[in-house]
Amino acid sequence: MAQLQLTRFGGVDVLQLSEQALSAPAAEQVLLDVLFASVNPIDVKTRAGLGWAAQKYQDRLPWTPGFDVCGVVKAVGADVTALTVGQRVCGMTFDGGAYASTMLAPAVELLPVPKNMTHAQAAALPLAGLTAWQGLFEHGQLQAGETVLISAAAGGVGHIGVQLAKQAGATVIATASETHHDFLRQLGADQVVDYHDPAAMAALTGQVDLVFDLVGFESGLQALSLLKEGGRQITVPTVAVPAIKAVADTQGKTVSGMLVHPDRDGLAALLALCADGKLQIHVSKIYPLTEGAKAHLAIESGHTRGKLLLDPSQQEM
Ligand SMILES: NC(=O)c1ccc[n+]([C@@H]2O[C@H](COP(=O)([O-])OP(=O)(O)OC[C@H]3O[C@@H](n4cnc5c(N)ncnc54)[C@H](OP(=O)(O)O)[C@@H]3O)[C@@H](O)[C@H]2O)c1
């Protein structure tokens, strides 16, 4: 089996293809033939040695990134009763490993993929979808009738967040470059604002109940002024939270961070929305697994739309 691994942290050249022998699944694991893995910014940050996951894996290198998978069950461990060989499943795999042609994963992290969802949608959904869901509703407590501003709205998490917030009865303001505006309107955004336009951003001052901040840093700091009295902000890039929270505290504003967590019920609900045609998952590009470095460079550019995937069946070098 092929894996795209990190043996050290650094630039994209540290992503190296390696061939590994297949292992049998432990009692609670399944062995999957990977159809697609998705690429998330956390993979890129970890590859560069940044953030919580780099700390977690620094003593466990080589490590194979990839927290999202859609695959077909190839073998099940002795204690696995909920999944069967041949079943198509997807999930957020909490220890990574999806940048591979085959992977082992705990069965509890995986759910069957509804028939009318594509492999690509199923691989693109879990981490971004759960982040949007948990950020808006568990942490953000978004209510019908409220106004939410979603930054980086055209990205992996944002484009799902726009749809979930709209369906929950919120008024959705989405920030993105103009090139994404039609895309965001089609997803249900009530207002789209180019974050490069200071006057347009200033016009939102004091208008927003909840900021779902997917950018952090300067953008997250500026967003504080958009909050209504008693408004709240969820800043999703974890490294950006302390500095924004420190400023918010001096202004009497509420800022919280979050870390997406595994949630079978939440993922099942998101899969059902996709199956019912109520949630669109936009995949903008699929790279061969061997071209994972190009996908990382695209994420690092900061301007991708929706999700990027890796396809282990394409073996171009
Ligand atoms: N804490 C957690 O559990 C957790 C979970 C998931 C994600 N995250 C973090 O959340 C962030 C978003 O994740 P993602 O997967 O959605 O990222 P992504 O798909 O890489 O986001 C790309 C989007 O960011 C937009 N963007 C870049 N700079 C912007 C700015 N200054 N203002 C507004 N939009 C901007 C781009 O739009 P334009 O082309 O218009 O610039 C692009 O569409 C990342 O930092 C990620 O690491 C954290």
Side-chain angles (χ1 to χ4, degrees), residues 1 45-46 62 85 91 94 122 138 170 186 190 220 226-228 245 277 286 304 307:
M1 68 170 228
K45 293 174 192 177
T46 308
V85 172
F94 212 65
E138 285 180 14
Q186 281 160 18
D190 295 286
L226 310 183
L227 290 173
K228 288 179 183 170
K245 202 168 158 38
I286 300 176
T304 50
K307 297 289 301 173

Side-chain angles (χ1 to χ4, degrees), residues 41-42 45 127 131 152 154-158 175-177 180 195 214-215 236-238 258-260 302-304 306:
I42 186 65
K45 293 174 192 177
L127 191 149
T131 304
V157 178
T175 69
S177 304
H180 301 304
Y195 63 89
L214 291 163
V215 180
V236 182
T238 47
M258 64 169 282
L259 190 59
V260 62
H303 301 293
T304 50

Side-chain angles (χ1 to χ4, degrees), residues 149 151 175 194-199 201-206 208 211 213 215-227 233 235 243-244 247-248 251 253 255:
L149 179 133
S151 61
T175 69
D194 185 349
Y195 63 89
H196 301 97
D197 179 346
M201 292 302 290
L204 301 172
T205 301
V208 174
V211 170
D213 167 22
V215 180
F217 306 99
E218 199 52 39
S219 167
L221 276 175
Q222 286 170 2
L224 292 174
S225 66
L226 310 183
L227 290 173
Q233 176 164 323
T235 289
I244 297 173
V247 173
Q251 300 176 357
K253 291 177 174 160
V255 171

